[in-house]
Amino acid sequence: MDTLETGVDRRSLLKGAAAAGVVATGTALLDNPAEAQDRGALKDAGITTEMVTFKNGDATINGFLARPKKAGKHGSVIVMPGIFGITDYVKESAAQIAQAGLVGLAVDFYSREGGAPKTDDFAVLRQVVGKMSDAQIVGDLQAGIDYLKKQSYANGKFGVTGFCMGGRYTLLLAASSPDIAAASPYYGPVMAQGPDRRAAINETTKIKAAVQGHYGATDMNPKPEDVRAYFAKLKETNPHAEYHIYEGAGHAFHDYSRPAYNAAASTQAWNRTLELFKKHLA
C-alpha cells in the first residue's frame, strides 16, 4: 500500500505505515499545529558559537561550531550543508542542535575554494562541487569528527545530519565511519548520481547507525519510490532504520530561507531529528 494513499483514515494509515516500517506524515496528520521554524537560536545566550578550523591531511577545513555553555560533555552532531554551503540557515540549524544540549558542527566542504561561491546559480555551484570527490567530502566530515574527539566538551558520541546533497553525504558518512551512532538525512539522493559518485543504495550494508530519513512527497530527487527502495534495502541489515515522507512537502522543505519551506513538515521532522540524537548521543 502507498502510505500516502488518500481515502483512508488517520488510524488506518498510521497502522499500515507502521507495519511497513515507514511513517507517512503531512499537514493533515500532525498532532499539533506547527509554528514557523524558530530563527532565534543564534541569539540564545545559553549557547556559544564560533568559526573553527581543523585539518584533513594538508588541507585546512573551516567549520561553524555551536555548543551549550553549560559545563559538561555533550554528544556531537556533524551538519553537512546543501550546495549553498554554510548559510545562515545552516548556522541556525547548528545552533538549534546546541539548544537541544548537543554540539553542532557544520563543515564547510568549500573550504579549499575559499568558501562557497557568491552565487545562487545552481549550474555554477554544481560545476564547483563536481570537481570534489566523494572521498574528499566524506574525509572532511570525518576530520570534523576527529577534531571534536579532542575537545573537552564532547563526549565521544557522534551523529550526522545534512540537507539536499548533504543528505546524501549523511548516508555516505554513516556507511564510512564507525564513529556515527545516528544519522538523519534530509531529502538527499539515494540512487546513482554519476559514474564517479557512490550510490547510497549500494552502501546500505555498511551502516550500523540508527537512521531516520526525512523526505517530501512531491520531491523528484529523491522520488518517494526511490526512498522506499533505499530503506527497504537498508532494513534488510539494519533494524534501526526508519523514514518519513511528508505529504504536501517538496525538496528543501526544511530550509526556511527558500520558497519550498513547509513549516508543518519542517517542525515535525526537526523535532524527530533532535529526539533521535538526544536518544543515541547522550
Side-chain angles (χ1 to χ4, degrees), residues 54 61-64 78-81 86 105-109 140-141 144:
F54 44 90
I61 309 302
N62 303 315
F64 176 81
I78 297 295
V79 181
M80 174 60 187
I86 299 182
L105 175 61
V107 177
D108 183 5
F109 60 92
D140 288 349
L141 298 176

Side-chain angles (χ1 to χ4, degrees), residues 56-70:
N56 180 10
D58 294 332
T60 298
I61 309 302
N62 303 315
F64 176 81
L65 180 74
R67 61 184 178 89
K69 286 184 177 177
K70 183 179 179 180

Side-chain angles (χ1 to χ4, degrees), residues 77-233:
V77 179
I78 297 295
V79 181
M80 174 60 187
I83 200 167
F84 295 109
I86 299 182
T87 61
D88 287 344
Y89 153 71
V90 172
K91 292 179 179 179
E92 181 75 17
S93 298
Q96 289 176 356
I97 288 170
Q99 285 183 315
L102 303 161
V103 178
L105 175 61
V107 177
D108 183 5
F109 60 92
Y110 284 114
S111 293
R112 294 172 181 79
E113 308 297 325
K118 298 185 183 303
T119 179
D120 292 334
D121 188 329
F122 273 100
V124 173
L125 294 169
R126 287 194 186 101
Q127 186 176 26
V128 176
V129 173
K131 298 176 182 178
M132 304 177 189
S133 69
D134 285 343
Q136 175 182 301
I137 294 177
V138 172
D140 288 349
L141 298 176
Q142 182 63 48
I145 292 175
D146 295 340
Y147 166 79
L148 289 171
K149 287 179 179 179
K150 303 173 184 177
Q151 308 308 313
S152 61
Y153 49 76
N155 70 2
K157 296 182 180 181
F158 299 95
V160 59
T161 189
F163 314 100
C164 303
M165 64 172 276
R168 174 174 171 268
Y169 283 108
T170 292
L171 293 173
L172 294 186
L173 181 65
S176 301
S177 175
D179 294 313
I180 297 298
S184 187
Y186 279 70
Y187 35 78
V190 294
M191 299 302 184
Q193 296 295 295
D196 298 325
R197 298 293 182 186
R198 291 160 56 189
I201 196 167
N202 294 334
E203 308 275 327
T204 56
T205 59
K206 302 176 184 177
I207 298 179
K208 308 305 179 186
V211 179
Q212 181 190 86
H214 302 280
Y215 304 90
T218 64
D219 199 345
M220 291 293 100
N221 188 24
K223 297 177 181 179
E225 54 263 38
D226 293 340
V227 172
R228 295 184 182 101
Y230 174 86
F231 278 89
K233 187 172 182 181

Side-chain angles (χ1 to χ4, degrees), residues 26-43:
T27 304
L29 301 183
L30 295 176
D31 291 326
N32 300 301
E35 299 293 332
Q37 181 170 326
D38 178 16
R39 305 180 195 180
L42 290 168
K43 300 177 182 178

